[in-house]
Amino acid sequence: MRRDGGPVPGIVAEAHRLVGAAQAALAGEPRPRALLADCARRLDQPLRVALAGSIKAGKSTLLNSLVGQDIAPTDATECTRVVTWYRYGSTPSVTAYAPDGARAHVVVRRGSGTHGLTFDLERLNWNAPAPRDVDHLEVEWPAATLAHTTIIDTPGTSSLSREVSRRTARLLTPGADDERSEQSVAIPGADAVVYLLRRLDATDVQFLERVGAGTAVANGGPGAPGPLGIVGVVSRADEIGAGRIDALHSARDVATRFAGELERTGLCQAVIPVAGLLAFAAATLRQQEFAAFEALARVPVDELSAALLSADRFARADVALPVPPELRAQLAERFGLFGIRMAVTLIRLGVRDSATLAAELTSRSGVDELRSVLDVQFGQRADQLKAHSALTALARVLTAYRGTPADRLLPRVRTLLADVHGFAELRLLGRLRTDELALPADDLAELHRLIGGSGIAPHLRLGLPIDAPLPAQRAQAMAAVRKWRARARHPLADQFTATACLTAARSAEGTLSVLPE
């Protein structure tokens, strides 16, 4: 999820300095010492992104599609009821952890046919005298995506079991239920959240409000420490249009409506429609499946349309199609009706090989768009997001343990947390996906660049070559500051345009400030 865009200048180093100073001042307090040690470690680890959402929202399927490998169980087994961490490792392994830290190796079983992985939690050999309850799972896997990003798959927020739902809340908003408890000063488990929506109801909004309450800490408020970055995904988007060929168009309309509603509350920076099932199937497309789609593309349109009225009908043995019923059932399970219709249509339009079909299906699934948004909003801002998590937890530790020399650090911590311009950039990038500014196309492209839409390195923001001389970069940045401040003051600019121009001017000022004299 990360591209070479350059770090947020100095923010991690400053967070390290403040955490180190707090550690020295609170060396005699075991609990804050442990919390601060965790903060320090987190700053040097990959960005942590949690997948959250209601039960059966498609979190595990989306994880598989983002990684491009079948590494997360998608069946409703016990392993989907616990928090599972997916980290990079040179060899695949799955480990269960008990609340007291005891470990047990987990046997991984791969099902036959279309059934993916299953983690066997029934027979665990704990490195402890007696069996334990599973607190969480850790999966190490040699996937390139995990090299820079740890992905956390969480249980459904609307599970019938209150304890299962609370596991996700404890990860993202520790201490939200009891500000007086020691847990209330804990560091959140994730730096950013991808929240999956099938519909936008009160439960979703309430949960997002709890996660977003962490920003209250910046002003000394009591809010629970939550992640800074949140991106919404209209999951299983192909089902919104009942599997029709235009399903994603319907899903995009829904995503636009959700984005508008969430923008008014400030809870989400973007909402993207994604057909996760299709994305994963495309990433693992087999030659046998491509040949089946080619055969189906030769069936008259009316006959195939009648067969595709439902998945059950499509797989029936008495329906005459040039593909065996068993393979048809596999196609329906892996691609869904939307994916089958899309694949057949693309072949009829001229796709002639499996690699091209896989690329086209991936593009139409929405996962490439999501990857791009995650790169811009999370990957390139990893330092900022990690520092925010650490500083938020540090603020709460300093507030909870008053009366030490560490008290003098709190004003500086709050100043850093209050500098939320990066967050303003993220929100504006999200709005620009759905709302139009009254600006010429060239100016709109420049604004998009300045606020980090193409990368956050100074030369990318300024639209200059990487080897552009520093005087040229400074001159370009200064001109951008003047231009966008003037645009913001234009008497005919509406409020949205004026705010966007001020954000661009602030971004140009920030770029100017990090360029050497």
Side-chain angles (χ1 to χ4, degrees):
M1 295 181 190
R2 182 171 182 142
R3 225 172 32 213
D4 184 15
V8 177
I11 186 65
V12 168
E14 179 70 353
H16 262 305
R17 185 188 70 78
L18 290 167
V19 170
Q23 285 177 301
L26 295 168
E29 297 280 354
R31 172 65 175 164
R33 188 172 68 240
L35 290 169
L36 293 171
D38 188 27
C39 285
R41 285 192 299 270
R42 287 276 299 276
L43 288 167
D44 296 324
Q45 293 174 350
L47 182 74
R48 298 179 178 183
V49 177
L51 302 183
S54 62
I55 191 169
K56 302 297 288 183
K59 295 182 290 295
S60 300
T61 299
L62 181 62
L63 190 155
N64 286 336
S65 68
L66 287 171
V67 175
Q69 297 183 41
D70 188 9
I71 67 172
T74 57
D75 53 344
T77 56
E78 181 64 24
C79 58
T80 63
R81 296 163 59 86
V82 298
V83 173
T84 304
W85 296 68
Y86 291 85
R87 309 178 188 272
Y88 181 82
S90 57
T91 58
S93 68
V94 182
T95 306
Y97 286 83
D100 63 358
R103 300 187 305 277
H105 174 70
V106 178
V107 175
V108 179
R109 305 189 189 282
R110 186 175 294 277
S112 59
T114 60
H115 300 288
L117 297 180
T118 297
F119 298 161
D120 187 355
L121 302 184
E122 297 297 323
R123 293 176 290 276
L124 297 176
N125 185 18
W126 294 99
N127 65 337
R132 301 288 200 275
D133 291 329
V134 176
D135 177 72
H136 69 279
L137 301 175
E138 293 200 4
V139 178
E140 292 192 356
W141 209 271
T145 300
L146 301 177
H148 297 293
T149 307
T150 294
I151 303 179
I152 311 168
D153 194 5
T154 66
T157 56
S158 58
S159 172
L160 295 177
S161 167
R162 185 178 180 185
E163 175 56 30
V164 170
S165 294
R166 287 183 64 186
R167 291 169 183 166
T168 300
R170 283 197 297 266
L171 174 81
L172 299 179
T173 57
D177 293 329
D178 187 359
E179 288 297 318
R180 297 168 298 179
S181 69
E182 285 194 346
Q183 181 71 4
S184 67
V185 296
I187 186 171
D191 305 305
V193 177
V194 175
Y195 192 83
L196 280 69
L197 300 149
R198 298 197 66 190
R199 56 187 180 278
L200 186 60
D201 56 24
T203 302
D204 293 317
V205 173
Q206 289 169 6
F207 186 84
L208 288 169
E209 285 175 342
R210 285 179 54 148
V211 174
T215 56
V217 179
N219 297 318
L228 177 62
I230 305 176
V231 165
V233 169
V234 178
S235 62
R236 301 170 70 163
D238 51 312
E239 296 179 6
I240 290 176
R244 298 190 311 269
I245 196 72
D246 63 345
L248 281 181
H249 292 292
S250 301
R252 190 166 296 282
D253 292 339
V254 172
T256 299
R257 177 168 58 83
F258 287 177
E261 294 177 16
L262 291 170
E263 168 62 27
R264 285 192 291 274
T265 61
L267 297 177
C268 214
Q269 291 106 49
V271 181
I272 314 296
V274 177
L277 184 69
L278 176 61
F280 176 62
T284 55
L285 178 67
R286 303 154 188 164
Q287 187 60 38
Q288 180 191 36
E289 293 168 337
F290 176 75
F293 288 136
E294 282 191 312
L296 292 172
R298 293 191 289 270
V299 176
V301 173
D302 291 343
E303 289 183 25
L304 186 58
S305 297
L308 286 169
L309 288 175
S310 71
D312 289 341
R313 179 179 175 82
F314 179 67
R316 275 169 45 182
D318 60 346
V319 174
L321 290 172
V323 175
E326 296 80 8
L327 182 52
R328 280 183 262 152
Q330 176 180 311
L331 294 176
E333 185 170 352
R334 276 186 29 88
F335 292 82
L337 296 181
F338 169 74
I340 295 171
R341 292 188 178 106
M342 181 62 70
V344 169
T345 299
L346 289 168
I347 289 173
R348 286 171 174 164
L349 291 174
V351 170
R352 291 292 176 263
D353 60 82
S354 59
T356 303
L357 180 62
E360 292 287 347
L361 291 176
T362 298
S363 175
R364 284 162 172 77
S365 72
V367 74
D368 283 346
E369 183 180 6
L370 176 62
R371 286 195 182 104
S372 176
V373 170
L374 294 180
D375 175 51
V376 169
Q377 308 218 29
F378 293 169
Q380 295 182 40
R381 288 172 168 83
D383 287 340
Q384 180 186 2
L385 294 169
K386 290 191 296 183
H388 178 271
S389 294
L391 292 171
T392 297
L394 175 58
R396 296 181 71 83
V397 169
L398 297 176
T399 301
Y401 296 89
R402 297 275 194 176
T404 74
D407 290 351
R408 61 183 174 78
L409 302 173
L410 194 54
R412 176 57 179 163
V413 173
R414 285 180 171 162
T415 297
L416 289 173
L417 285 170
D419 183 9
V420 293
H421 179 67
F423 187 54
E425 288 183 333
L426 295 178
R427 290 186 62 193
L428 180 55
L429 284 169
R431 285 200 64 178
L432 290 178
R433 302 178 62 81
T434 56
D435 296 343
E436 292 187 3
L437 284 173
L439 294 173
D442 289 347
D443 284 346
L444 188 58
E446 180 184 344
L447 183 144
H448 189 268
R449 274 200 322 272
L450 277 173
I451 63 175
S454 301
I456 63 171
H459 72 281
L460 294 175
R461 289 183 184 269
L462 299 173
L464 295 173
I466 191 171
D467 57 353
L470 280 175
Q473 293 189 52
R474 291 188 60 81
Q476 185 86 336
M478 183 65 72
V481 172
R482 297 194 186 100
K483 171 181 175 176
W484 290 102
R485 287 215 170 272
R487 284 293 179 90
R489 294 192 297 267
H490 196 285
L492 298 182
D494 59 73
Q495 184 175 1
F496 176 37
T497 301
T499 300
C501 292
L502 280 174
T503 301
R506 175 75 189 280
S507 296
E509 289 172 343
T511 301
L512 185 62
S513 70
V514 301
L515 293 172
E517 294 285 350

